[in-house]
Amino acid sequence: MTPTPPPQPPVTKKEIFGWCMYDVADSAFTTVIVTALYALYFGTVVVGDPNQADYLWGWGASISEVIVAIVAPVLGAIADFSGSRKKFLAVCALTIIFFTASLYFVGPGMVTLGLTLYIIANVGFAGGGVFIDSFLPGISTEQNAGKLSGLKWAMGYASGLVCLLLCYPLAKYIKADATPYELSRARLIPVVVAVYYAVAVIFPLMFLRERSVKQTLPKGETYLTVGFRQLGKTLKHIRRYQDLLRLLIAFLVYNDGVVTVIYFAARYAKETVGFSPSEVVVLLILNNVVAAAGAFGFGFIADWIGQKKTIYITLLIWIAAVTTAYFAHTRETFYVASALVGIGLGSCQSVTRSLLALFTPKENASEFFGFLGIAGKALAFLGPIIFGTVSKATGSQRPAILSIGAFFILGAILLSFVNEARGKAAALIPVEAED
């Protein structure tokens, strides 16, 4: 029997600021490590062969996505039951900080070590995303969910820009024939990211209020067994939230395309279009400026015309982006593709999460965002594997990037089956109502 939640104090600006600051920390990791400089370092210094690096980088990304897909729903249920979302958030943050800093020890030829440390850090990153998103239903309303989600993502992309600027002086040392001194400079990049992350993550851990209610464990039970039972209960009752389920399935597909572009954008710019590592940093700085504006601006658009229509617009932008990248043979053309990616990246995931928050019963926020973890991760391994395999098989990244467009097309088709008004109405009925 779920206890009646006590009255919650009003949501403060400090709490909203703390929630947004988690993206400030997270975006430093995803921008510099996942998308840009460590991805380039791994391919150029650690592996050496560009096509083999694509293949290995794709598998590394896929393994971390699968791990999170398996554990996220259970952890979400446990966090809801134990009233300890912030504790789980802190564990994920510490995982990212420690294993990102450990990438300093990865040198030429250390493929296994480089992938293993990266995978563990990436699991912490993805797991933290599940828990921080679960706070949104408790601090937002239907009228401002889009704005808050957009603000968080905009701050995150602005943060990615700042961290890229901090690492820019070190980017020039990422090269295959680096001297020992140059190699020591390039290896400092993940240390800079780890320190930056550690400072930024202090604010959400200080300011976020734990709004979930702790429940007493039944005799002989553990959080693990209760977590599995709660997950089973949610699966049993998911039929009541059919539009939530349809949204998750659509997101599962088009997010796979988004994730793949994130993993391979910098490598595509360097290996196919001919950007240097320093030029890639400049490119991604501009990309983050556009992404921040896209996240913030599309939050208002979503609250104005509705989240579903807004997601359609972002998917069309994504299709245009990968098509432009395929035909890009000059830096100027690729800058256009990068700008389109920035708009799509800053808006698509932000608006989807705000709609998911409006489809989610607040009492089961962590648990349902665990399902978002499944939707975001269960097939997110597929895109990176396809990209890496196509790149290795054809010896070119162009057909690999074009193949990613299929994820956005299919995702838009699946989204058409979501009824936005019905989904919001269903969220008002708690999952325990039938018990």
Side-chain angles (χ1 to χ4, degrees):
M1 183 87 179
T2 303
T4 302
Q8 293 285 356
V11 177
T12 65
K13 291 182 179 179
K14 182 183 291 187
E15 190 173 2
I16 292 173
F17 174 74
W19 183 73
C20 292
M21 281 298 292
Y22 195 86
D23 238 37
V24 171
D26 251 11
S27 291
F29 175 82
T30 189
T31 302
V32 179
I33 301 298
V34 177
T35 303
L37 297 183
Y38 184 70
L40 296 181
Y41 178 87
F42 180 80
T44 304
V45 177
V46 181
V47 180
D49 178 359
N51 298 122
Q52 181 69 10
D54 280 348
Y55 184 72
L56 292 171
W57 192 245
W59 272 102
S62 298
I63 291 170
S64 59
E65 298 289 348
V66 168
I67 292 173
V68 174
I70 293 172
V71 303
V74 176
L75 290 180
I78 296 172
D80 264 344
F81 196 91
S82 64
S84 56
R85 297 175 193 170
K86 281 183 67 173
K87 291 180 182 178
F88 282 100
L89 200 63
V91 169
C92 291
L94 290 173
T95 300
I96 296 170
I97 294 166
F98 178 80
F99 286 97
T100 299
S102 298
L103 292 173
Y104 170 82
F105 299 102
V106 178
M110 299 181 183
V111 176
T112 302
L113 178 64
L115 273 182
T116 301
L117 295 176
Y118 165 72
I119 288 170
I120 297 173
N122 206 28
V123 168
F125 163 75
V130 172
F131 292 110
I132 194 65
D133 284 343
S134 72
F135 283 87
L136 181 57
I139 64 173
S140 66
T141 65
E142 182 173 345
Q143 288 71 39
N144 69 6
K147 295 185 186 70
L148 293 185
S149 185
L151 176 62
K152 171 175 171 285
W153 282 75
M155 289 176 61
Y157 286 116
S159 171
L161 184 153
V162 172
C163 198
L164 275 175
L165 286 172
L166 292 175
C167 295
Y168 177 76
L170 303 173
K172 62 184 178 183
Y173 299 117
I174 300 176
K175 45 188 176 181
D177 57 350
T179 65
Y181 171 79
E182 290 171 332
L183 187 61
S184 69
R185 300 300 94 184
R187 287 164 54 189
L188 286 174
I189 291 171
V191 178
V192 172
V193 175
V195 173
Y196 184 98
Y197 191 104
V199 173
V201 83
I202 291 172
F203 296 94
L205 296 181
M206 284 180 57
F207 296 151
L208 272 175
R209 185 183 297 274
E210 183 61 77
R211 293 179 177 272
S212 56
V213 180
K214 184 175 182 178
Q215 304 174 48
T216 303
L217 277 173
K219 187 176 181 179
E221 296 280 7
T222 66
Y223 285 135
L224 182 62
T225 58
V226 170
F228 274 109
R229 186 185 304 111
Q230 183 67 22
L231 176 60
K233 182 189 293 185
T234 305
L235 289 169
K236 176 184 175 182
H237 293 149
I238 196 68
R239 64 182 182 271
R240 170 169 286 176
Y241 307 97
Q242 287 298 304
D243 290 289
L244 170 62
L245 182 60
R246 293 186 182 107
L247 176 61
L248 291 174
I249 293 172
F251 178 71
L252 180 152
V253 175
Y254 63 72
N255 186 63
D256 205 350
V258 174
V259 167
T260 305
V261 172
I262 290 173
Y263 280 123
F264 288 98
R267 291 194 44 74
Y268 190 92
K270 179 179 180 293
E271 304 297 343
T272 297
V273 188
F275 283 75
S276 70
S278 295
E279 290 172 331
V280 169
V281 171
V282 174
L283 176 72
L284 291 176
I285 287 173
L286 296 175
N287 179 271
N288 271 30
V289 171
V290 175
F296 189 71
F298 272 81
F300 285 94
I301 293 173
D303 290 334
W304 177 35
I305 68 172
Q307 279 82 3
K308 180 179 173 180
K309 291 179 182 178
T310 306
I311 296 171
Y312 274 131
I313 295 172
T314 66
L315 294 179
L316 289 174
I317 293 171
W318 271 110
I319 293 168
V322 296
T323 304
T324 304
Y326 173 79
F327 289 106
H329 290 274
T330 66
R331 284 171 170 77
E332 292 75 19
T333 306
F334 195 76
Y335 272 114
V336 174
S338 179
L340 291 171
V341 166
I343 296 172
L345 188 62
S347 56
C348 183
Q349 293 178 322
S350 170
V351 177
T352 299
R353 278 164 171 76
S354 68
L355 183 57
L356 184 81
L358 298 176
F359 280 12
T360 299
K362 292 186 178 182
E363 296 83 358
N364 302 85
S366 284
E367 184 182 348
F368 274 64
F369 273 91
F371 279 100
L372 177 63
I374 292 179
K377 310 297 176 184
L379 284 185
F381 72 91
L382 190 58
I385 287 179
I386 289 176
F387 188 103
T389 302
V390 172
S391 175
K392 184 178 180 180
T394 63
S396 171
Q397 292 179 322
R398 292 190 186 277
I401 195 66
L402 191 62
S403 68
I404 302 306
F407 289 99
F408 302 117
I409 296 171
L410 181 57
I413 294 172
L414 292 171
L415 185 65
S416 67
F417 294 99
V418 175
N419 186 307
E420 189 171 352
R422 187 175 60 200
K424 292 176 180 177
L428 300 176
I429 306 172
V431 76
E432 293 86 359
E434 290 185 350
D435 294 345

